C-alpha cells in the first residue's frame, strides 16, 4: 500500500502520459466541462484533472522547445566555426599580401 493521496496518484499518472495522450484527455475534459450538467464536485474534479493535464502538456512543449533551441544553437555554432576558419584563412592571406 502506498502513502500517496488520490490526488498525488492522479498527478503521478498524468506525469507518465505522453504529450498526445495528455492533450487528447485534456480536450475531452474541456468538452465535458463545456457541456455542463455535472455536479459541482464532478466539475471541480474535472477542472483539477484538466489543470494537471495542461501542466503535463506544457512540460512536454517546454522540453521540445529546449531541444529545438539546443539543436539550433549547435547548428549555429558549427556554422560559426566554419565561418571563422574561412575568415582566418583570408585574413592571413590578406596580411601576407601587404
Amino acid at each position: 500500500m502506498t502513502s500517496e493521496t488520490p490526488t498525488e496518484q492522479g498527478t503521478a499518472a498524468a506525469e507518465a502520459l505522453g504529450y498526445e495522450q495528455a492533450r487528447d484527455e485534456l480536450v475531452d475534459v474541456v468538452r465535458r466541462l463545456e457541456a455542463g450538467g455535472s455536479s459541482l464536485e464532478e466539475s471541480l474534479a474535472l477542472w483539477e484533472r484538466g489543470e494537471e493535464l495542461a501542466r503535463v502538456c506544457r512540460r512536454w512543449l517546454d522540453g521540445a522547445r529546449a531541444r529545438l533551441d539546443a539543436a539550433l544553437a549547435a547548428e549555429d555554432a558549427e556554422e560559426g566555426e566554419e565561418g571563422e576558419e574561412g575568415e582566418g584563412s583570408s585574413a592571413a592571406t590578406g596580411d601576407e599580401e601587404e
Side-chain angles (χ1 to χ4, degrees), residues 22-71:
R23 180 202 58 211
D24 292 346
E25 188 178 341
L26 179 57
V27 167
D28 183 55
V29 166
V30 169
R31 282 187 191 135
R32 291 171 60 190
L33 284 168
E34 287 177 342
S38 299
S39 69
L40 177 59
E41 191 63 34
E42 290 170 330
S43 294
L44 286 172
L46 284 170
W47 180 270
E48 289 171 346
R49 181 64 177 167
E51 289 288 332
E52 290 173 12
L53 294 165
R55 278 191 293 276
V56 169
C57 289
R58 174 56 53 201
R59 277 192 211 101
W60 276 105
L61 292 172
D62 288 346
R65 170 54 66 192
R67 288 175 61 188
L68 270 172
D69 289 345

Side-chain angles (χ1 to χ4, degrees), residues 65-96:
R65 170 54 66 192
R67 288 175 61 188
L68 270 172
D69 289 345
L72 290 172
E75 185 178 303
D76 288 345
E78 281 181 20
E79 289 175 3
E81 288 174 6
E82 290 173 6
E84 288 175 10
E85 288 174 9
E87 289 173 13
S89 303
S90 64
T93 305
D95 289 340
E96 291 173 5

